[in-house]
Amino acid sequence: MKVILARTAGFCMGVKRAMELVLQAINRKSGNIYTYGPLIHNPQVLELLEERGIGILKNATPDSGSVVVIRAHGIPPQELELLKAAGFQIIDATCPKVAKVHAILRRWAQRGYDAIIVGDEDHPEVLGLMGYTEGRGRVVVTSDDVARLPELARVIVVAQTTQSEDVFTRRVAEIKARFAEVQVYNTICDATANRQAEVQKLAREVEAVVVVGGRSSGNTQRLVEIARATGTPTYHVETEQELDMEEMQQFKTVGVTAGASTPHWLISNVVSMLKHDWATRHGFVAQLWQRLWRFLVKSNLYVALGAGCLSYSSSLLQTVEPLWRYFFVAFCYIYAMHILNNFTDAASRLNDPVQTRFYGRHRRFLLISGVASGILALLLGLALTPLAFVFILIMSVLGLMYTINIFPSRLASLMKFHRLKEIPGSKAIFTSIAWGVLAALIPVICSERSLTPATAFAFLFVAGLVFIRSGFFEIQALEGDRVVGKETLAVALGKENTFKMLYLSTGLLLAVMAGGSLMGILPTLGYALLGCGAYALGYLTLYRRGYLESGLLLESLVEGNMILAGWISFLWDPFHYIF
């Protein structure tokens, strides 16, 4: 199935800003935090915010120690004054474009104009707009509403920012026909107008449209109405779990769009589910191969194979004879740790629902194989040398300690974190170090060779590739990680700064490998492995420019860089055999 994702799908500027302000408030929390009404019209986001302690304010009883966030829809000025009088600390997350409508209404109300708002009477934004009309506001949405208006001398007309362009145009024409003096401001948000125009165009180019968003979201409902008006089969879902995949399989091309309050991870989940329709499609020629490939990637066998390949490459970089035990120590340890991480990662259900469902279906196999793999890694280390066993044991203990509280309460309150995983960017750094130890140090300490400068270069090669890989996946998971409070590199630096860091890291990796080879510290394999750095630059750039989308293919390509290192090393291998 071909899936076309609308460019304008997802959070608009106002909703994104409101989410940013709430998440910032959580990070500097000094008291209770409330939102004045539901922050956005998306039940999944509201549920996650509730899990993080964000309540919805029921009444403005006096409270001087709590924070209240004004949602993007805005509120009447009278209610804002009540909150201030009650002693709340106010964070105003009113969308700037909604605030602009407030200013228009206030200015014309002071001149004695009656206001007509084209919008939904019970919508929170409209309720807020009415507060700026000085009691001379009226709401219309149908022709009958316009017909029932009393005679008015001077009129100002504005729109709910998420209103339909078509509805607004028709109501304005009817209002002008009734009243002599009419001032019109088309206050429909550009993002809303663009979203509506795009879904109309998209619906004519595909066989079906899926609109993702909360059922209480007015702008999402309008997208559904516009798509259905074209005659194209249209499905409104809040999550990917509501998709009827048997029904969707009749379509070869499906368009996906989403309301302004729909987070990126929910959209990605729907797109991913549709793209994986082959998993349930009967008679598909390559179904067996696709299932096998999906199993290898989602079970972490593929990334574990990559770890073994890096162990093989780093052995050859140090001119250490590669042994099968080095390969499988890395393979087994990485497989076990990734299984553990995926079972304990709260954000995975947001960022990768396909993998979450996979883990649910294969829970017993993954748990048993993960535990067995961890034990086997220790046994293989013991069979190599006691020092190798100690290294693996220490890393295993650190891996287990990563998710539990280890810092005393007094120290934790000063440092602002209780666990290693709460240190910003810790996952990418610790993961890189662990892989570097496994792949670069284990082979040399288990051989008759001593540590050399080549060991440092091999360590930097492995750690560098893994750091770039980890940082890239954290960029993809940025939204979900932020909402659940996960302190990743991308959360700490932001998307663009993280990309810059990854580009810089890739440049340093290329310089290190080229420098080590030029100085004769590394064998000529160092030159060949520059291809892995170029490969990393390739997928970073293609994804950043929108040529690659999240999904099984991209995950396979990124993890494939480590497999590439293994193939390059195999072709160079002077020992003439793999192990």
Side-chain angles (χ1 to χ4, degrees):
M1 178 188 298
K2 182 180 180 181
V3 181
I4 301 175
L5 176 62
R7 293 181 61 188
T8 54
F11 279 170
C12 65
M13 178 273 291
V15 171
K16 186 179 294 185
R17 176 176 174 271
M19 284 293 297
E20 291 281 347
L21 290 171
V22 168
L23 293 173
Q24 289 172 14
I26 293 173
N27 291 336
R28 59 173 183 265
K29 182 176 180 180
S30 57
N32 295 325
I33 303 174
Y34 301 96
T35 60
Y36 194 72
L39 183 69
I40 60 176
H41 287 152
N42 187 279
Q44 290 73 35
V45 173
L46 296 178
E47 180 183 341
L48 290 168
L49 290 176
E50 185 179 0
E51 290 177 5
R52 297 200 64 186
I54 304 298
I56 297 176
L57 190 66
K58 304 297 183 183
N59 52 67
T61 54
D63 188 337
S64 60
S66 296
V67 173
V68 63
V69 181
I70 307 302
R71 54 188 175 172
H73 302 113
I75 62 173
Q78 302 86 348
E79 295 180 18
L80 181 60
E81 291 305 317
L82 286 175
L83 291 173
K84 290 179 178 178
F88 286 98
Q89 300 175 50
I90 306 295
I91 296 177
D92 192 354
T94 303
C95 173
K97 296 189 177 182
V98 174
K100 182 179 178 181
V101 189
H102 291 171
I104 292 171
L105 289 172
R106 182 191 290 113
R107 183 170 69 250
W108 288 96
Q110 291 170 353
R111 298 179 184 179
Y113 276 69
D114 289 281
I116 298 177
I117 302 167
V118 181
D120 303 319
E121 189 172 9
D122 297 327
H123 193 279
E125 180 190 326
V126 174
L127 296 175
L129 296 178
M130 288 290 287
Y132 291 86
T133 64
E134 295 188 2
R136 294 194 298 274
R138 293 166 176 83
V139 181
V140 301
V141 73
T142 67
S143 296
D144 290 341
D145 293 334
V146 176
R148 285 193 292 267
L149 289 171
E151 290 303 319
L152 304 171
R154 297 184 298 172
V155 172
I156 171 72
V157 182
V158 298
Q160 177 184 332
T161 58
T162 56
Q163 186 54 258
S164 163
E165 282 277 2
D166 182 55
V167 170
F168 181 71
T169 301
R170 284 188 276 125
R171 295 300 84 82
V172 166
E174 293 162 358
I175 291 168
K176 284 184 173 181
R178 274 210 58 187
F179 305 107
E181 187 174 345
V182 180
Q183 298 289 335
V184 178
Y185 287 85
N186 184 344
T187 52
I188 296 175
C189 173
D190 291 343
T192 298
N194 294 339
R195 200 182 302 258
Q196 292 174 358
E198 185 178 23
V199 73
Q200 192 171 47
K201 181 175 182 292
L202 180 64
R204 294 192 175 101
E205 298 174 348
V206 297
E207 296 176 18
V209 173
V210 175
V211 182
V212 190
R215 287 184 171 80
S216 61
S217 168
N219 73 85
T220 301
Q221 291 287 0
R222 272 181 275 281
L223 293 176
V224 174
E225 293 165 4
I226 292 169
R228 284 179 177 160
T230 65
T232 303
T234 302
Y235 303 86
H236 181 189
V237 300
E238 286 191 350
T239 72
E240 78 285 353
Q241 296 172 352
E242 297 177 14
L243 287 170
D244 184 340
M245 291 309 299
E246 289 189 8
E247 183 172 352
M248 298 306 298
Q249 285 173 13
Q250 65 182 298
F251 306 116
K252 293 182 179 178
T253 307
V254 175
V256 176
T257 189
S261 55
T262 308
H264 176 72
W265 78 78
L266 284 177
I267 304 168
S268 296
N269 293 354
V270 169
V271 171
S272 182
M273 176 72 85
L274 291 170
K275 285 186 174 181
H276 285 83
D277 74 314
W278 48 261
T280 54
R281 180 169 296 200
H282 299 289
F284 192 74
V285 177
Q287 184 183 33
L288 182 61
W289 164 247
Q290 293 273 23
R291 284 179 177 272
L292 176 60
W293 186 252
R294 180 167 172 262
F295 183 86
L296 287 173
V297 174
K298 293 303 179 184
S299 67
N300 292 302
L301 288 169
Y302 189 57
V303 69
L305 178 63
C309 287
L310 289 183
S311 174
Y312 174 55
S313 298
S314 63
S315 295
L316 294 176
L317 282 173
Q318 300 172 79
T319 61
V320 171
E321 181 178 359
L323 301 178
W324 67 267
R325 289 186 289 273
Y326 306 156
F327 180 97
F328 282 107
V329 162
F331 179 97
C332 292
Y333 178 84
I334 294 301
Y335 179 74
M337 288 298 106
H338 272 69
I339 294 291
L340 172 66
N341 180 66
N342 278 287
F343 272 118
T344 58
D345 186 2
S348 64
R349 63 189 174 97
L350 305 178
N351 299 322
D352 195 345
V354 174
Q355 181 143 315
T356 300
R357 288 191 298 275
F358 178 89
Y359 269 63
R361 285 196 300 270
H362 302 284
R363 182 179 180 85
R364 178 175 295 181
F365 165 77
L366 292 169
L367 283 173
I368 293 173
S369 62
V371 171
S373 187
I375 295 172
L376 184 57
L378 288 169
L379 292 176
L380 285 171
L382 187 61
L384 287 167
T385 66
L387 185 56
F389 173 79
V390 171
F391 266 121
I392 298 168
L393 181 62
I394 291 174
M395 288 192 299
S396 300
V397 171
L398 289 175
L400 293 172
M401 291 174 61
Y402 184 73
T403 59
I404 62 175
N405 293 342
I406 60 173
F407 298 109
S409 298
R410 183 174 297 179
L411 181 60
S413 63
L414 292 174
M415 297 189 302
K416 304 299 182 184
F417 48 79
H418 296 79
R419 299 171 289 180
L420 290 172
K421 70 180 297 182
E422 294 174 353
I423 301 174
S426 60
K427 182 180 178 182
I429 296 170
F430 290 161
T431 300
S432 304
I433 292 172
W435 282 58
V437 169
L438 279 169
L441 295 186
I442 295 294
V444 72
I445 65 173
C446 294
S447 67
E448 296 180 356
R449 303 286 301 275
S450 58
L451 296 178
T452 65
T455 304
F457 279 87
F459 178 90
L460 291 173
F461 171 70
V462 174
L465 278 188
V466 175
F467 180 80
I468 296 163
R469 163 198 173 273
S470 299
F472 177 77
F473 285 136
E474 288 179 1
I475 289 175
Q476 289 186 286
L478 177 59
E479 269 192 9
D481 288 341
R482 288 202 67 189
V483 173
V484 300
K486 198 173 175 183
E487 297 291 347
T488 65
L489 189 70
V491 169
L493 298 179
K495 183 177 180 178
E496 284 306 310
N497 286 334
T498 304
F499 264 121
K500 291 177 183 178
M501 174 168 280
L502 296 183
Y503 276 119
L504 177 61
S505 300
T506 307
L508 290 174
L509 176 67
L510 290 168
V512 164
M513 296 304 291
S517 302
L518 284 169
M519 291 185 290
I521 296 174
L522 297 177
T524 53
L525 174 61
Y527 290 119
L529 290 176
L530 290 173
C532 294
Y535 186 103
L537 281 176
Y539 70 68
L540 286 171
T541 303
L542 289 173
Y543 180 79
R544 191 180 190 188
R545 294 184 178 179
Y547 296 115
L548 289 175
E549 294 180 359
S550 301
L552 188 68
L553 175 60
L554 180 58
E555 186 177 353
S556 302
L557 287 172
V558 175
E559 305 289 25
N561 201 7
M562 298 177 290
I563 309 295
L564 174 64
W567 277 112
I568 292 173
S569 301
F570 174 66
L571 294 174
W572 183 89
D573 189 354
F575 296 95
H576 304 300
Y577 54 89
I578 301 178
F579 304 120

